């Protein structure tokens, strides 16, 4: 049976409070203690769910956003067009930049050619390995810190 409106409101309020505490720098253990969670994992899960919901609620589908941007570019180009036809060089430059953005947004620009050599690949692999090592050490440090908080 789905939760009642009152229960949903209580959950939303507790999640909001948990997010605020986390933003303020409180540990998962402290959040769990202050808000009555069963464990710090429960507090973490609730904060994650609250943030995921916020992202879902605030996100605009990509195609809707793209269409909005295209309409804005069209409006700007329409406003400039009489000056473009009159030969105004500043308007012509601005219109050219707008058209470049329009083409990038629609994916109409010609593909760029890139030179790929073994040296470039080796450098990229070294960079990825360094990033992985850094991410692993940060994750280990975060895990150790989380364990020491609890």
């Amino acid at each position: 049976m789905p939760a009642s409106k009152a229960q949903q409101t209580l959950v939303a309020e507790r999640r909001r409070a948990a997010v605020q505490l986390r933003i303020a720098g409180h540990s998962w253990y402290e959040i769990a203690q202050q808000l009555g969670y069963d464990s710090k994992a429960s507090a973490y899960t609730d904060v994650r769910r609250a943030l995921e919901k916020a992202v879902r609620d605030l996100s605009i589908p990509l195609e809707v956003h793209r269409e909005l941007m295209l309409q804005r570019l069209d409006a700007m180009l329409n406003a400039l067009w009489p000056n473009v036809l009159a030969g105004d060089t500043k308007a012509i430059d601005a219109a050219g930049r707008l058209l470049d953005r329009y083409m990038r947004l629609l994916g109409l620009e010609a593909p760029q050619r890139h030179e790929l050599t073994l040296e470039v690949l080796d450098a990229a692999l070294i960079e990825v390995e360094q990033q992985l090592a850094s991410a692993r050490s940060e994750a280990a440090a975060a895990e150790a810190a989380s364990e020491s908080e609890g």
Side-chain angles (χ1 to χ4, degrees):
M1 182 161 98
S4 68
K5 288 286 185 189
Q7 184 64 27
Q8 289 174 2
T9 301
L10 289 174
V11 168
E13 277 301 310
R14 184 163 86 159
R15 284 181 179 170
R16 184 200 56 74
V19 169
Q20 292 301 321
L21 288 171
R22 188 62 182 167
I23 289 170
H26 292 270
S27 71
W28 296 117
Y29 178 78
E30 291 169 331
I31 295 168
Q33 290 296 306
Q34 285 186 33
L35 299 177
Y37 286 99
D38 294 336
S39 66
K40 59 185 181 180
S42 296
Y44 168 81
T45 299
D46 239 15
V47 168
R48 188 190 79 233
R49 286 179 181 157
L51 295 176
E52 287 171 352
K53 182 181 182 323
V55 167
R56 276 192 316 274
D57 291 349
L58 294 175
S59 68
I60 299 173
L62 179 61
E63 288 307 314
V64 172
H65 191 64
R66 184 187 325 265
E67 183 59 34
L68 177 63
M69 292 300 109
L70 289 172
Q71 289 175 6
R72 287 178 178 167
L73 289 171
D74 282 341
M76 288 185 269
L77 190 57
N78 286 335
L80 284 172
W81 202 249
N83 293 336
V84 169
L85 294 177
D88 180 342
T89 56
K90 286 184 180 181
I92 292 169
D93 287 342
R97 288 191 304 274
L98 285 174
L99 290 172
D100 284 343
R101 288 186 181 187
Y102 202 98
M103 289 176 59
R104 278 196 307 269
L105 196 55
L106 292 174
L108 298 175
E109 58 189 351
Q112 295 180 355
R113 191 179 160 110
H114 295 281
E115 183 81 19
L116 193 58
T117 64
L118 288 177
E119 291 81 16
V120 171
L121 285 173
D122 286 343
L125 286 172
I126 290 169
E127 183 178 338
V128 168
E129 288 171 351
Q130 289 171 343
Q131 290 173 352
L132 280 171
S134 175
R136 285 183 184 126
S137 66
E138 287 176 16
E143 187 175 321
S146 175
E147 287 175 4
S148 68
E149 286 179 2

